[in-house]
């Protein structure tokens, strides 16, 4: 726990004692979809200094929110992942993101890849109950996410290996535009901002399943 405590027995205050410090919830957000190495966290949170990020990770580890793990093979690497306690914060992050999105335009500050993937859960608008599942692989740089939309919800899996209807490779700015503006997959592909394989119609339907007014 941080040395700065609210000294308040309310559950909200007790939670903020653990995750209320600057960058703490950002760290949790970046680990929602799986473990990351320290340098990956640094790349995702460029405005957090190395010392502050290290301190937040130590505090979150002490509180049982994150833990250190070994990734591999083929290359062994130390990384951080959420514990069960940390994963329980995902619904909190979704609701905070939904609340915060009402306070400012979605255009503006840059967004990490994992933050965008969480945003998909915030703005998902489930289709009619009889609608078949729709699976799309979104690739941003070296990161790939399998996103499956069904009438009951949307799931996001980092590096999933299941078959998908379409694969879309783009940067976060373009993916946001495909959801929150009138930009179409075809137009983005023609402009060279999207690399598309698979069913183009399925990809377009996918990006229309999200509603910024939600």
């Amino acid at each position: 726990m941080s040395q700065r405590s609210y000294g308040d027995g309310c559950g909200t205050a007790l939670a903020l004692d653990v995750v209320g410090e600057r960058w703490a919830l950002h760290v949790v957000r970046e680990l929602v979809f799986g473990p990351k190495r320290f340098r990956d966290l640094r790349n995702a949170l460029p405005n957090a200094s190395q010392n502050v990020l290290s301190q937040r990770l130590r505090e979150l580890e002490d509180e049982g929110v994150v833990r250190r793990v070994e990734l591999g093979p083929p290359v062994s690497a130390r990384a951080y992942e959420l514990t069960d306690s940390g994963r329980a914060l995902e619904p909190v992050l979704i609701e905070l993101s939904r609340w915060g999105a009402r306070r400012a335009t979605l255009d503006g500050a840059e967004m990490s890849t994992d933050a965008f993937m969480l945003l998909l859960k915030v703005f998902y608008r489930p289709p009619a109950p009889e609608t078949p599942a729709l699976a799309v692989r979104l690739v941003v740089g070296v990161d790939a996410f399998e996103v499956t939309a069904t009438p009951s919800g949307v799931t996001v899996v980092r590096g999933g290996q299941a078959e998908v209807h379409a694969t879309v490779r783009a940067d976060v700015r373009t993916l946001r535009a495909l959801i929150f503006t009138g930009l179409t997959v075809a137009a983005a592909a023609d402009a060279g901002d999207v690399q598309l394989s698979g069913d183009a119609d399925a990809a377009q339907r996918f990006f229309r399943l999200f509603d910024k007014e939600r």
Side-chain angles (χ1 to χ4, degrees):
M1 183 184 297
S2 166
Q3 294 299 310
R4 295 188 289 270
S5 172
Y6 289 100
D8 188 321
C10 165
T12 300
L14 293 172
L16 290 174
D17 281 345
V18 176
V19 295
E21 289 287 353
R22 187 171 175 82
W23 300 109
L25 279 177
H26 290 74
V27 170
V28 175
R29 182 196 71 195
E30 291 301 316
L31 298 177
V32 163
F33 300 115
K36 285 188 175 183
R37 297 168 297 179
F38 182 82
R39 74 178 184 185
D40 297 325
L41 290 168
R42 282 280 288 137
N43 290 337
L45 302 171
N47 294 323
S49 72
Q50 180 170 323
N51 288 341
V52 168
L53 183 56
S54 296
Q55 183 178 349
R56 289 295 92 82
L57 284 165
R58 285 195 301 270
E59 293 167 354
L60 291 170
E61 189 175 5
D62 289 344
E63 291 294 336
V65 176
V66 305
R67 62 184 164 222
R68 287 184 240 196
V69 293
E70 290 286 335
L71 299 181
V75 178
S76 180
R78 290 185 177 180
Y80 295 88
E81 71 176 7
L82 294 179
T83 63
D84 289 343
S85 176
R87 284 191 290 273
L89 287 166
E90 182 179 345
V92 177
L93 287 169
I94 290 172
E95 290 306 318
L96 277 173
S97 182
R98 182 174 291 128
W99 185 83
R102 298 191 186 105
R103 298 177 60 85
T105 176
L106 288 168
D107 300 323
E110 292 299 320
M111 175 180 289
S112 75
T113 303
D114 286 67
F116 173 79
M117 297 302 160
L118 190 68
L119 202 68
L120 296 179
K121 295 193 172 191
V122 173
F123 292 110
Y124 183 59
R125 184 183 65 242
E130 67 276 8
T131 305
L134 179 58
V136 171
R137 181 165 289 107
L138 301 180
V139 183
V140 182
V142 298
D143 273 330
F145 296 81
E146 178 188 300
V147 186
T148 304
T150 71
S152 60
V154 62
T155 60
V156 180
V157 178
R158 188 191 304 277
Q161 299 300 312
E163 287 191 21
V164 297
H165 295 91
T167 296
V168 177
R169 180 184 291 273
D171 59 21
V172 169
R173 184 181 294 274
T174 300
L175 292 175
R176 289 172 71 184
L178 287 168
I179 289 177
F180 299 121
T181 75
L183 181 66
T184 65
V185 173
D190 288 344
D193 294 326
V194 160
Q195 295 178 28
L196 173 69
S197 60
D199 187 338
D201 289 337
Q204 185 59 53
R205 290 199 306 274
F206 171 81
F207 288 110
R208 291 295 174 260
L209 290 173
F210 304 89
D211 181 2
K212 67 180 178 181
E213 300 302 326
R214 185 172 157 73

